[in-house]
Amino acid sequence: MLHLRLIVPQDRTDDVVHLVRHTVGTTHLVVMPGVALDPAGDVVTCDVAREAGDELITSLRELGIDESGSITVEETDLTLSAHADRAEEEAPGEGADAVLWEELADATHEESTFSVTYLAFLSIATMLAACGVMLDNAILIVGAMAVGPEFGPLAGISTALVQRVPRLVWRSLWALVGGFAVAMVLTAGFAWMMNGLGLFTGAMIEAERPNTAFIWQPDWMSFVVAFLAGIGGTLSLTSAKSGALIGVAISVTTVPAAANAAVAFSYQDLAQTWGSVGQLAANLGGIVLAGTLTLLVQKALWAMHRRRIRAA
């Protein structure tokens, strides 16, 4: 269930109450007249089944409540109520299949911010991966992939393309391209420092490295894995099952490929540099394509389901 807390101008309260009452899947409607001070108005709360949440939120925005008041949505982990059980039974579809587009847009917008924290995580992940590729250590590679925050901007691009929000596309692209550029430059500097300390050597970059050689040898399997991971990651975001994102993060070699490109460039090994760049491009392209197609399919299926329910 979702819990909605609304601040509503007093002249729109009746419209909001009417809307909530006539939306299938809602319950626990409470109106507190005049208690809101900033912005001034009434406070209206209700619970709604997740599968009915997007329709209700969209209708509230059409009433202008997000402009004249506020709409706050919270996930409820546990609701013990026969009314809530009945509301979920009446709501069309399954909650796990429903996409809250406003929630998705807000989450990807936040994750696509070109911030100091985002750069720090991406740079640290890339440096960890650099240690992994030089030592041919798969454990370090997996750890680096788990730390990397790059799925946020990738999901932001897919969401923005489906929702047709050009500003979010450019914001996400800037976070992705700019973030990897900064991380790779810092990692190249890190490699030079480690070389000066005698911890990295040219012989390490030229070694066979059987555990990590795939990172600079892209093939169609690289794209297939990235495509499948993009589907899984997108489903994880839309169904609020964020735990699956860890599995997605350690399935693709975006961060290790960027790390190997930076390290190889610092040793002037251009063959490995370009191979790693190809691996990075295959992974990024596969995830964006998969995420966009997944969201388009989800949007179409949910629209068809709604039409069937209304026709019935």
Side-chain angles (χ1 to χ4, degrees), residues 74-300:
E74 301 172 340
E75 293 273 359
T76 57
D77 294 327
L78 177 64
T79 301
L80 300 176
S81 167
H83 294 280
D85 293 340
R86 199 156 45 243
E88 289 189 319
E89 290 174 1
E90 293 173 352
E94 295 294 332
D97 297 333
V99 180
L100 295 178
W101 291 100
E102 297 296 337
E103 178 187 55
L104 181 62
D106 184 70
T108 53
H109 183 276
E110 182 179 348
E111 293 295 326
S112 301
T113 302
F114 191 78
S115 64
V116 173
T117 301
Y118 169 81
L119 281 177
F121 272 113
L122 188 56
S123 299
I124 290 170
T126 308
M127 292 178 194
L128 280 172
C131 295
V133 296
M134 293 298 275
L135 297 173
D136 195 33
N137 189 314
I139 295 176
L140 286 176
I141 294 295
V142 171
M145 289 190 287
V147 171
E150 74 278 8
F151 191 81
L154 291 168
I157 294 172
S158 296
T159 302
L161 290 174
V162 173
Q163 294 294 86
R164 300 179 183 178
V165 186
R167 182 179 298 180
L168 181 56
V169 173
W170 294 116
R171 180 190 182 94
S172 301
L173 276 174
W174 168 239
L176 190 67
V177 177
F180 268 112
V182 172
M184 290 170 73
V185 168
L186 292 176
T187 301
F190 172 73
W192 288 327
M193 182 189 72
M194 294 291 280
N195 184 75
L197 294 173
L199 298 175
F200 283 1
T201 65
M204 296 170 73
I205 195 71
E206 294 171 1
E208 290 186 6
R209 291 181 284 163
N211 292 325
T212 56
F214 67 93
I215 291 172
W216 67 88
Q217 297 172 359
D219 54 23
W220 278 106
M221 280 302 299
S222 302
F223 181 83
V224 170
V225 170
F227 189 86
L228 294 174
I231 295 174
T234 303
L235 290 175
S236 174
L237 285 177
T238 58
S239 64
K241 297 184 181 296
S242 58
L245 280 176
I246 298 298
V248 171
I250 62 178
S251 298
V252 290
T253 54
T254 49
V255 167
N260 197 77
V263 174
F265 181 78
S266 70
Y267 283 99
Q268 296 301 298
D269 189 333
L270 298 184
Q272 280 199 42
T273 299
W274 286 114
S276 301
V277 169
Q279 179 77 271
L280 179 61
N283 278 271
L284 297 179
I287 292 173
V288 170
L289 178 61
T292 303
L293 292 176
T294 300
L295 289 175
L296 286 172
V297 170
Q298 286 182 292
K299 192 172 186 178

Side-chain angles (χ1 to χ4, degrees), residues 1-4 23-27 46-56 84-95 98 100 302:
M1 295 290 287
L2 303 174
H3 180 69
L4 271 62
T23 298
V24 175
T26 59
T27 188
C46 70
D47 290 338
V48 58
R50 182 179 176 86
E51 51 268 41
D54 187 64
E55 183 175 0
L56 178 57
D85 293 340
R86 199 156 45 243
E88 289 189 319
E89 290 174 1
E90 293 173 352
E94 295 294 332
L100 295 178
W302 195 252

